[in-house]
Amino acid sequence: MREHRSPSPAIGRQFQEGRSGPSGQRDAFLDNAKYLLIVLVAVAHSWEAVEGSRATKALYMFVYAFHMPAFIVICGYLSRNFTGRPHQIKRLITGIAVPYVVFEVAYSLFKRYADDTPDHAITLLDPYFLTWFLAALFIWRLTSPLWRHLRYPLPVALGIAALASLAPGIGDDLNLQRVLQFLPFFVLGLCLKPQHFEIVRRQEVRLLALPVLAGALLFVYWVAPRMKTGWLFRTNSAQQLDAPWWSGPVMTLLLFGCSLLLTVAFLSWVPRRHLWFTVLGAGTICGYLLHGFAIKGPEYAGLFDTYTWLNEPAGKIAVSLAAAIAVTLMCTPPVRRALRGVTEPDMSWAFRDSPNDQRPAGPHPGSFGTADESERMTRSTP
């Protein structure tokens, strides 16, 4: 961005409404970011199946330090207009709760039969593999009005995350450890304004991002043998990671700062213009929900035990490329249309009519689409 002055009100309105111009099109920057992040999610998941050298573990930790935090920040930003109006509640149920139920059952059955584990439990209270994010997003978005009414929402969210990190008794129900420990990123997104993204995309920020990213890579390579990756998953308390209780709040704050710094560095280099993959940013819900089958299928089939070369550097590159290509195909419009009955089901029969609810004109935003901003976009999901 050549000009460093504050964005004009018109630019702010366009970004806030998810538009790239007066035609009402989706904002290319957000769609580009979401596509690139979903590719990182799939590639990082594929690395879990191969043997981890120090370099592989370092790359794994580097990606995990910011890919989900950045995605959650964007989801929070797009949830700022969620107030619990009837049409928003309907879309919360049809776009998040329904896909969660369908894919939680689907992944559990896949685990039973593809992995030959017939006793694998089918439960909606203990999310399996990647379905935790839908449960978390449901809870976060439902509480959005509460966070907007607090005077200091982010410090409160950080306090809750810190307390969760030293509470091993929380249990696995709805993966609440992750819900609470990732909460600050969603709340941060709720607090952001279009002007903040304009600042992130300034030229000087992009230049500063380069040494930040390089330094982070060197640091994770050094820390990889010394740090448990469980800290990055946010699924356990400090005690469950065999660490002293006080390290939980300390790591919560340190990881939040590191993740935020890397998120800013990543977003600063996300292209602003419309590119070949921009349209795929509208289908990341499909890529997210489907790529788990492509990741777990070969693992259940023993592919990595049969073809041991996949654990070598060339094999890891091949696995990474395969994951990136697979999730890209899963984000394409034909897949979105085929999966629409699950990700955007028409369940008008299940809800009462609400004549007093002022529903904005616009298509269904999908399970990762949010509130009024997404409703002003063309049909899509983040």
Side-chain angles (χ1 to χ4, degrees):
M1 184 175 180
R2 294 191 180 94
E3 297 178 338
H4 296 169
R5 64 178 182 270
S6 298
S8 68
I11 294 176
R13 286 195 300 273
Q14 290 172 9
F15 193 89
Q16 183 177 9
E17 295 175 359
R19 295 186 287 116
S20 58
S23 62
Q25 297 177 349
R26 292 178 60 95
D27 185 271
F29 170 75
L30 289 179
D31 279 336
N32 290 338
K34 288 176 283 188
Y35 166 73
L36 294 173
L37 286 170
I38 207 64
V39 169
L40 289 177
V41 169
V43 171
H45 277 155
S46 73
W47 291 340
E48 296 176 2
V50 297
E51 294 181 3
S53 63
R54 180 174 180 175
T56 303
K57 183 179 178 181
L59 284 174
Y60 184 81
M61 293 176 67
F62 174 76
V63 171
Y64 258 84
F66 75 91
H67 74 334
M68 286 310 298
F71 206 94
I72 294 169
V73 166
I74 293 175
C75 287
Y77 174 78
L78 292 174
S79 298
R80 293 175 306 131
N81 283 351
F82 184 89
T83 59
R85 295 194 296 274
H87 77 276
Q88 293 175 332
I89 295 297
K90 293 176 186 177
R91 292 183 175 183
L92 186 66
I93 293 173
T94 59
I96 297 181
V98 171
Y100 170 72
V101 171
V102 171
F103 278 89
E104 176 62 28
V105 173
Y107 273 108
S108 297
L109 291 175
F110 188 61
K111 170 72 173 177
R112 277 190 175 190
Y113 298 107
D115 196 31
D116 194 23
T117 54
D119 58 342
H120 179 77
I122 299 178
T123 173
L124 300 180
L125 294 179
D126 187 9
Y128 176 67
F129 193 32
L130 51 75
T131 56
W132 72 269
F133 184 68
L134 293 180
L137 187 57
F138 185 91
I139 296 172
W140 292 331
R141 189 169 298 163
L142 199 60
T143 62
S144 295
L146 168 66
W147 296 109
R148 284 198 305 275
H149 282 85
L150 292 181
R151 188 180 297 274
Y152 306 108
L154 187 56
V156 172
L158 283 169
I160 292 174
L163 290 173
S165 70
L166 52 82
I170 287 179
D172 297 328
D173 289 349
L174 295 180
N175 221 319
L176 282 180
Q177 274 287 2
R178 266 180 169 167
V179 172
L180 298 177
Q181 292 195 42
F182 275 119
L183 174 64
F185 298 102
F186 185 82
V187 174
L188 174 62
L190 288 174
C191 298
L192 292 179
K193 298 179 180 180
Q195 291 82 352
H196 294 125
F197 288 93
E198 292 293 334
I199 293 173
V200 165
R201 296 183 292 183
R202 288 180 176 178
Q203 185 66 25
E204 59 266 30
V205 176
R206 298 181 68 189
L207 293 177
L208 289 173
L210 295 176
V212 168
L213 294 173
L217 281 170
L218 291 174
F219 176 76
V220 294
Y221 186 80
W222 173 80
V223 82
R226 301 168 174 84
M227 177 179 170
K228 293 184 177 180
T229 55
W231 286 109
L232 300 172
F233 301 153
R234 274 89 165 184
T235 54
N236 297 298
S237 65
Q239 297 93 320
Q240 291 170 316
L241 292 172
D242 299 322
W245 67 268
W246 54 264
S247 63
V250 172
M251 288 296 291
T252 296
L253 296 177
L254 288 176
L255 287 175
F256 179 79
C258 292
S259 297
L260 181 57
L261 192 62
L262 291 176
T263 295
V264 171
F266 166 79
L267 292 177
S268 70
W269 280 95
V270 171
R272 300 181 59 180
R273 65 185 185 278
H274 194 283
L275 300 172
W276 66 268
F277 58 79
T278 303
V279 67
L280 302 179
T284 52
I285 173 61
C286 299
Y288 182 81
L289 292 174
L290 292 175
H291 85 273
F293 294 107
I295 298 297
K296 289 296 185 182
E299 182 181 344
Y300 293 159
L303 185 69
F304 298 95
D305 295 327
T306 302
Y307 301 98
T308 56
W309 66 272
L310 292 173
N311 295 292
E312 299 173 359
K316 293 175 182 177
I317 294 175
V319 169
S320 302
L321 290 175
I325 293 172
V327 76
T328 297
L329 295 175
M330 293 170 185
C331 293
T332 55
V335 176
R336 287 165 49 202
R337 289 192 293 268
L339 209 62
R340 187 167 294 162
V342 175
T343 60
E344 304 175 21
D346 181 8
M347 295 182 60
S348 56
W349 54 269
F351 302 99
R352 297 177 180 177
D353 293 331
S354 303
N356 295 328
D357 181 45
Q358 299 298 319
R359 173 175 176 173
H364 193 299
S367 67
F368 290 173
T370 53
D372 294 346
E373 287 135 332
S374 291
E375 292 166 13
R376 297 187 184 103
M377 299 178 182
T378 55
R379 175 177 293 275
S380 58
T381 54

